[in-house]
């Protein structure tokens, strides 16, 4: 079945410039070259994309028209409407209308004509305006009156719509205090427009009532375009030259009459919408190399912006281009860099915890989002990754990070990239459930009968295993003979605890895995039944052949987990150990639920595998994940200034380091 | 690795492959979509349509004759359709695609070129007249460019690649008699690299030849014929002004990326949370670990 798709007209180069704001089942999309649109979910596989059917406003500067790339104010130019209501002809004393061509020009734009009119119904002042339906020539247009005009005579009180194919469209959007907010067009780069309260698609200014739309220009010494706009206690706008706060002067909700704008900080921003962690905003500073934390500081009675990359300036590479915030299970800000890596910042403000790490892959991360998982209690991180196949062909994949919570079972560990899983037990459960019955629980010629056609002659040599609810083995046999697609014979290796198992309680092992076409020609690492199936395999024809037969196989691109400690400051008899030769003699680790076969060394080129095996582990089975102390690891490093510990794990298994303890000699001379 | 809020360091989990971001239908890679591509018939359209379009930057004028070559959605290698050729005995102009002549199709000895297509035969030699001209262009001066698979021995075809500079010289590569399987897709590539002609079937070289002395320039000035006396499905016909293959290769398995995609979150509730893939001209929707199907 084909993926459900909805077409749009944004080009590839425009996709990353879209900003969005969601309310209920609707996402409003803003892009400077397209009218604001709304993406509406009707059902999972039924979405619509339409231009926002604005009811009115906003309007450009009075009497302003575009001449070339400049704005002219034709203060003496008049517009005469043929009537104050209905379909009218607008006659201008100057060439002010732009006809349809490659774009709609002024067609479908709102124009303010005349002054406000007091409504006989509401008693409120309402701005008269029209919607142009056709442009006859540069001085004549046909329009529909949307709100009754104050006059059918010539008037110099007119303004064209602020958003159009002539003047461009707003590029930023958000919601704030029950208003839809747009900001920044090409010709009004510092403007912010807020809709009427609860009327998200009405930007008419009318008489300035409290719930009327709001039109604000950020006044500053520089003309810096707004890069993003986000809602907090106040409305915050990031421009290339600084960060502005838009709020009411008296602390009450924003109205057309009480709007107060102030420039709080002057770091400047890039056009990546900030992420909010608690009451703190995280945004990318101008030039993309820094993430700053923006928050209100009571001591200063002002907003404060703190550089969160100051201790790790390298972490941004050539710059950040996208961000996502994963709240659960750990509070982590994921920042994609232009080099295709991800820099993660774990941030717990209340605990004063902050830690950066870099995520790399064989390929380039390009985009990222975080959404709640439907099946597990954490937020999922999804990415677009560009990968290069063995043939040299480039592909972009949608991939999802697994949960950082280490699974209870080692055979459920998933530490590969772009990976897929074969689960023999799932295969017997879905889409069709197969039940097997055994002629005996033990013996060398046990007959296995399936409720449906499941077996093939190639299954000879494979194993059938039954498991309990925890996934532990409760019986296993090796298939020795094929009778039919529903009957095989096997020799029991581990006695079964029953003679019948339903789908999901048993599985048939495999020695080849297919479905890896997306990694064609690439080397993959395989974790099979909790152990490594060495050596790594190269995908050919979308498949790999395994060294043995297994029930749970995870295959994907390998990646190496790396830690490098800071140079040791252990002190010495004569004060500091800085600038003195050191040597680490021995290491110890405290680990939690960890693979113990990782590597340590004094440099990246002198790593040795930690040899630690629990004596209780059965021979021929993979070592279980370990929690506890790994003591007294010899550390074959030489004397050096600023001794460090390198820890690397190339295996597709987890390591959680609680602490690293070492003994170190410092040469005090 | 990831830093955990209580100070430990834990392995970053892996990523599971969910889906390809959308890519094009042609079998071309991103690098192929450049000025080197001089003809590109994706064979995309509605079932039964006789409208074919050139997706190269040249936007050549394409026409189909006779009604026995048309878009078919029954089979395709890439995208959602291919061109179905249905041979009609005697009247062999019933199943041809014509491309208007253009100087860009002329060939100079110094110009490298690749003609490639995907073919799924339903009959190798229809009515005993297996003379599959995949590319055929000849001029009054007898200059000739031809990529074909002709029947010399009943039940098999001999792949041929012929470039003739009338009166001066030529290059002719011809394979042995081969029997590519019916009802399966085969990649066929005719490659001119410097003074050598090579033919590849499913990525394996099946014929090679060098030009005779004297070949300088062939400029056949008739309309190009794509497909003639052919029975089966043709998909992704591409002419590229360089030698794309100079040794055995794996035929392209996918297509051109649409370009960068990005993800947009949509969270209505835990059970209605989506990652929206926004690519060039399309949205796709992902939820609960998979793509939303139509």
């Amino acid at each position: 079945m084909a993926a459900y798709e909805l077409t749009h007209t944004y080009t590839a180069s425009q996709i990353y410039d879209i900003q969005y704001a969601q309310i209920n089942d609707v996402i409003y999309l803003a892009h400077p070259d397209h009218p604001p649109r709304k993406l509406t979910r009707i059902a999972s596989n039924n979405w619509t994309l339409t231009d926002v059917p604005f009811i009115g406003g906003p309007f450009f500067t009075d009497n302003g028209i575009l001449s070339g790339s400049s704005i002219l104010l034709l203060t003496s130019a008049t517009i005469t409407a043929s009537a104050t209501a209905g379909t009218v002809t607008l006659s201008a004393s100057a060439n002010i209308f732009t006809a349809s061509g490659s774009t709609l020009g002024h067609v479908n734009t709102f124009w303010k004509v005349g002054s406000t009119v007091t409504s006989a119904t509401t008693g409120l002042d309402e701005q008269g305006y029209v919607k142009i339906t056709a442009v006859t020539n540069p001085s004549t247009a046909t329009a529909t009156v949307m709100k009754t005009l104050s006059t059918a005579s010539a008037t110099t009180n007119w303004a064209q719509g602020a958003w159009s194919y002539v003047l461009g469209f707003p590029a930023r959007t958000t919601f704030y205090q029950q208003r839809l907010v747009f900001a920044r067009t090409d010709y009004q780069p510092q403007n912010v427009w807020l809709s009427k309260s609860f009327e998200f698609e009405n930007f008419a200014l009318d008489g300035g009532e409290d719930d009327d739309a709001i039109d604000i220009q950020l006044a500053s010494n520089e003309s810096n375009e707004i890069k993003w706009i986000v809602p907090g206690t106040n409305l915050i706008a990031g421009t290339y030259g600084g960060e502005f706060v838009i709020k009411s002067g008296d602390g009450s909700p924003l109205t057309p009459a009480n709007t107060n704008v102030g420039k709080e900080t002057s770091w400047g921003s890039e056009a990546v919408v900030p992420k909010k962690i608690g009451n703190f905003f995280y945004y990318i500073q101008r030039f993309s190399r820094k993430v700053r934390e923006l928050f209100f500081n009571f001591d200063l009675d002002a907003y404060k912006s703190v550089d969160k990359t100051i201790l790790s300036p390298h972490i941004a590479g050539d710059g950040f281009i996208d961000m996502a915030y994963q709240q659960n299970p750990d509070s982590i800000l994921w920042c994609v860099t232009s080099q295709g890596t991800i820099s993660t910042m774990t941030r717990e403000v209340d605990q004063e915890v902050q830690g950066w790490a870099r995520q790399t892959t064989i390929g380039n991360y390009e985009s990222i989002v975080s959404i709640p998982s439907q099946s597990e209690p954490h937020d999922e991180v999804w990415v677009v990754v560009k990968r290069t196949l063995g043939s040299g062909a480039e592909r972009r994949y949608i991939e999802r990070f697994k949960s950082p919570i280490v699974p209870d079972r080692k055979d459920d560990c998933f530490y590969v990239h772009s990976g897929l899983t074969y689960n023999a037990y799932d295969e017997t459960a879905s889409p069709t459930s197969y039940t097997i019955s055994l002629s005996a629980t033990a013996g060398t010629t046990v007959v296995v009968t399936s409720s449906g056609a499941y077996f093939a002659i190639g299954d000879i040599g494979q194993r059938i295993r039954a498991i309990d609810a925890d996934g532990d083995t409760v019986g296993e046999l090796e298939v020795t003979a094929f009778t039919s697609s529903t009957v095989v014979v096997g020799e029991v290796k581990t006695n079964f605890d029953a003679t019948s198992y339903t789908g999901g309680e048993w599985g048939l092992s495999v020695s080849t895995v297919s479905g890896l076409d997306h990694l064609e020609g690439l080397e993959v690492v395989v974790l099979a039944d909790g152990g490594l199936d060495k050596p790594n395999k190269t995908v050919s024809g979308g498949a790999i052949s395994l060294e043995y037969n297994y029930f749970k196989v995870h295959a994907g691109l390998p990646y190496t987990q790396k830690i490098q400690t800071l140079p040791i400051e252990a002190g010495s008899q004569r004060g500091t150990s800085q600038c003195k030769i050191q040597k680490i003699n021995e290491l110890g680790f405290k680990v939690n639920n960890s693979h113990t076969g990782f590597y340590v060394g004094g440099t990246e080129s002198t790593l040795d595998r930690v040899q630690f095996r629990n004596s209780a582990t059965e021979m021929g089975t993979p070592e279980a994940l370990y929690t506890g102390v790994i003591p007294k690891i010899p550390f074959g490093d030489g004397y050096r200034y600023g001794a460090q510990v390198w820890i690397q794990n190339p295996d597709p298994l987890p390591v959680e380091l609680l602490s690293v303890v070492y003994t170190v000699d410092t040469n005090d001379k | 690795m990831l830093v955990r809020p209580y100070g430990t360091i834990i392995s970053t989990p892996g990523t599971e492959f969910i889906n390809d971001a959308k890519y094009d239908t042609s079998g071309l890679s991103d690098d192929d979509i450049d000025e080197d591509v001089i003809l590109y018939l994706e064979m995309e359209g509605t079932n039964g349509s006789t409208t074919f379009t050139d997706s190269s930057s040249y936007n050549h004028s394409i026409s189909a004759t006779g009604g026995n070559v048309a878009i078919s959605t029954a089979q395709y290698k890439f995208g959602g359709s291919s061109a179905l050729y249905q041979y009609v005995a005697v009247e062999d102009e019933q199943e041809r695609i014509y491309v208007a002549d253009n100087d860009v199709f002329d060939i100079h000895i110094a110009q490298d070129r690749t003609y490639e297509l995907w073919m799924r035969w339903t009959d190798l030699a229809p009515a005993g007249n297996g003379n599959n001209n995949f590319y055929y262009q000849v001029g009054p001066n007898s200059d000739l460019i031809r990529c074909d698979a002709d029947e010399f021995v009943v039940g098999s075809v001999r792949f041929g690649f012929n470039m003739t500079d009338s009166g001066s010289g030529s290059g002719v590569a011809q394979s042995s008699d081969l029997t590519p399987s019916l009802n399966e897709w085969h990649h066929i590539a005719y490659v001119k690299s410097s003074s050598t002609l090579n033919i590849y079937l499913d990525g394996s070289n099946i014929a090679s030849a060098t030009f005779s002395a004297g070949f300088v320039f062939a400029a056949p000035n008739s309309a190009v014929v794509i497909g003639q006396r052919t029975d089966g499905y043709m998909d992704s016909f591409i002419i590229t002004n360089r030698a794309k293959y100079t040794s055995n290769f794996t035929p392209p398995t996918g297509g051109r990326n649409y370009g960068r995609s990005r993800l947009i979150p949509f969270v209505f509730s835990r059970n209605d949370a989506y990652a929206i893939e926004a690519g060039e001209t399309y949205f796709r929707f992902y939820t609960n670990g998979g793509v939303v199907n139509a």
Side-chain angles (χ1 to χ4, degrees), chain A residues 36 68 72 86 321 373 540:
Chain A
L72 292 182
I321 58 171
S373 170
S540 177

Coordinates of all heavy atoms in Angstrom, one line a residue, chain A residues 36 68 72 86 321 373 540:
Chain A
P36 N 0.0 32.5 3.7 CA -0.1 31.6 4.8 C -1.1 30.5 4.5 O -2.2 30.7 3.9 CB -0.6 32.5 6.0 CG -0.1 33.9 5.6 CD -0.2 33.9 4.1
G68 N 9.5 49.3 -8.1 CA 10.8 48.6 -8.2 C 11.0 47.8 -6.9 O 10.1 47.0 -6.5
L72 N 7.1 53.7 -2.2 CA 6.7 55.1 -2.4 C 5.4 55.4 -1.7 O 4.5 54.5 -1.6 CB 6.5 55.4 -3.9 CG 7.7 55.3 -4.9 CD1 7.2 55.6 -6.3 CD2 8.8 56.2 -4.4
G86 N -21.2 45.9 -1.8 CA -21.4 45.1 -3.0 C -20.2 45.0 -3.8 O -19.0 45.2 -3.4
I321 N 21.4 24.0 12.7 CA 20.4 24.3 11.7 C 19.0 23.9 12.1 O 18.1 24.2 11.5 CB 20.8 23.6 10.3 CG1 20.9 22.1 10.5 CG2 22.1 24.3 9.8 CD1 21.1 21.4 9.2
S373 N 5.8 9.2 22.2 CA 5.6 7.8 21.7 C 4.2 7.3 22.0 O 3.6 7.7 23.1 CB 6.6 6.9 22.4 OG 6.3 5.5 22.1
S540 N 24.0 -7.4 0.5 CA 24.0 -7.7 -1.0 C 22.6 -8.2 -1.3 O 22.0 -9.1 -0.7 CB 25.0 -8.8 -1.3 OG 24.9 -9.1 -2.7

